[in-house]
Amino acid sequence: MGQDTQAPLSFDEGRALEIIGGLAHLEGAMLPILHALQDAFGHIDARMVPLVASALNVSRADAHGAVSFYHDFRDAPAGRHVLRICRAESCQSMGCERLVEHLRHTHRLTPGETTADGALTLENVYCLGQCALSPAALVDGEPVGRLDEKRLDALLGQLKGARA
Ligand code: FES
């Protein structure tokens, strides 16, 4: 099982501008900047969007669109653990939707949301390159495959144990 996700920094405009300024010269700088901001802060705070837009001379709508289009970016801090479940074709054909329903009904976990205690975030991902192990997921960045309800329950039990 992986480590807890890194604690995000709170928003710091100076640090955000430093990161943006260091990458703005790149061709196609939007994605590298967003990745660097998320690495530093744990998510893309709404206050970062105008800073990115201004540095790249694009509209706020364009910058916001990039954040919402790519599933890699989150607009709120993640929980201490992150479960990313693959919902692309191969995993769909092997039953990932059933697993998502199981998470929703049995564990009250909905993709895109974090538990009230801040312990766990569930996110969708679209192909992890682990199709041979469908249905697959990432738990704190570590791939897990051939999931079924029982394995998911066990994984969540381990994460709960690690929360203490
Ligand atoms: S479709 Fe899920 S890992 Fe490729």
Side-chain angles (χ1 to χ4, degrees):
M1 192 63 51
Q3 307 255 318
D4 282 5
T5 51
Q6 200 178 359
L9 296 174
S10 55
F11 180 68
D12 172 342
E13 184 170 331
R15 177 75 187 117
L17 285 170
E18 200 174 271
I19 291 169
I20 295 166
L23 297 168
H25 65 282
L26 296 176
E27 198 171 324
M30 177 74 79
L31 293 183
I33 286 174
L34 294 178
H35 277 293
L37 289 172
Q38 180 153 293
D39 286 348
F41 294 97
H43 69 291
I44 309 293
D45 189 287
R47 290 168 288 185
M48 296 174 195
V49 171
L51 304 181
V52 174
S54 162
L56 298 184
N57 204 21
V58 300
S59 69
R60 289 181 184 198
D62 284 345
H64 177 73
V67 176
S68 15
F69 180 77
Y70 293 99
H71 297 283
D72 278 349
F73 303 123
R74 57 176 76 96
D75 59 9
R80 293 188 293 284
H81 297 284
V82 178
L83 171 61
R84 307 187 81 200
I85 190 153
C86 178
R87 300 181 75 175
E89 197 174 336
S90 170
C91 288
Q92 274 190 22
S93 72
M94 296 301 283
C96 72
E97 295 306 316
R98 207 183 59 233
L99 298 180
V100 170
E101 278 313 299
H102 177 71
L103 289 167
R104 201 187 310 272
H105 286 119
T106 307
H107 297 280
R108 304 273 172 241
L109 285 168
T110 302
E113 292 184 0
T114 298
T115 53
D117 62 0
L120 180 67
T121 297
L122 176 63
E123 293 179 340
N124 295 322
V125 67
Y126 294 87
C127 197
L128 297 163
Q130 302 280 334
C131 306
L133 300 178
S134 296
L138 289 178
V139 180
D140 293 340
E142 288 189 18
V144 289
R146 300 208 171 95
L147 284 171
D148 56 20
E149 286 85 342
K150 219 169 142 184
R151 286 203 70 204
L152 262 184
D153 291 348
L155 277 171
L156 291 172
Q158 284 175 42
L159 292 179
K160 255 186 207 154
R163 290 177 206 173

